[in-house]
Amino acid sequence: MHVVKSTDGLGNADAYRELNGQLDAVLAGESNGLANAANMAAILWQSLPDLNWAGFYFLLGGELVLGPFQGKVACVRIAMGKGVCGTAAGRRETVIVPDVHLFPGHIACDAASRSEIVVPLVRDGRLLGVLDLDSPSMARFDNDDADGLAAAVALLLKHSDLSRLVD
């Protein structure tokens, strides 16, 4: 059993160092991509403040398909290039959106979401999916979040065989 330690009171960079240390410990010794993505979503959900959704979409059949997550019921399929997730996947780069209502083509899976960050999962040049975090607060995410979440994604990719989740 692993107890997630609080990151309350830590600055963003320190919070991500703590979170990613815990994530590395949880993922170590387990290669199942589904299990690791589920645990990562749970750790992000428990550790990061002010989220209303944290989870994954994996690339299947040319579209993003819902994977493990924490939060309200979500959109199941997202076309490449559509919404924040499809845009980040198409660009293969992290996208930070301070106000989702101003993002052209935003897909509103949860009307309470106000800001979003999406980090692509890319291994050896191949897009596998995206990590998606939403917040009910405007401008919740910044470059520290982008860096910390990129490090978290790197840990997931290091420890996990995601081949059964993508085509």
Side-chain angles (χ1 to χ4, degrees):
M1 181 176 93
H2 184 84
V3 177
V4 176
K5 296 177 188 170
S6 172
T7 59
D8 287 346
L10 298 176
N12 238 6
D14 290 334
Y16 277 107
R17 269 191 290 283
E18 174 65 33
L19 181 152
N20 285 330
Q22 293 181 62
L23 182 62
D24 195 33
V26 167
L27 301 181
E30 179 55 63
S31 64
N32 183 283
L34 182 62
N36 284 345
N39 272 333
M40 182 169 161
I43 288 172
L44 294 172
W45 180 257
Q46 291 177 29
S47 298
L48 297 176
D50 204 20
L51 298 181
N52 62 330
W53 204 88
F56 294 91
Y57 285 89
F58 292 104
L59 186 61
L60 288 165
E63 63 186 347
L64 297 169
V65 179
L66 182 65
F69 72 93
Q70 300 281 311
K72 290 183 179 180
V73 173
C75 302
V76 175
R77 297 177 184 276
I78 298 175
M80 291 293 291
K82 301 295 183 185
V84 182
C85 289
T87 298
R91 293 179 185 169
R92 294 181 184 209
E93 64 185 35
T94 297
V95 174
I96 300 171
V97 180
D99 183 349
V100 296
H101 299 297
L102 299 179
F103 188 87
H106 174 252
I107 300 168
C109 296
D110 180 351
S113 292
R114 295 299 308 272
S115 61
E116 187 170 359
I117 185 169
V118 179
V119 181
L121 283 63
V122 179
R123 176 184 281 148
D124 300 325
R126 180 178 172 214
L127 178 70
L128 304 176
V130 297
L131 169 65
D132 179 24
L133 275 67
D134 293 10
S135 172
S137 298
M138 295 246 324
R140 158 64 182 84
F141 304 106
D142 61 20
N143 287 331
D144 285 341
D145 294 293
D147 293 343
L149 293 169
V153 163
L155 290 170
L156 178 70
L157 294 174
K158 170 185 153 187
H159 288 290
S160 304
D161 175 5
L162 298 173
S163 63
R164 297 177 121 183
L165 303 177
V166 301
D167 54 22

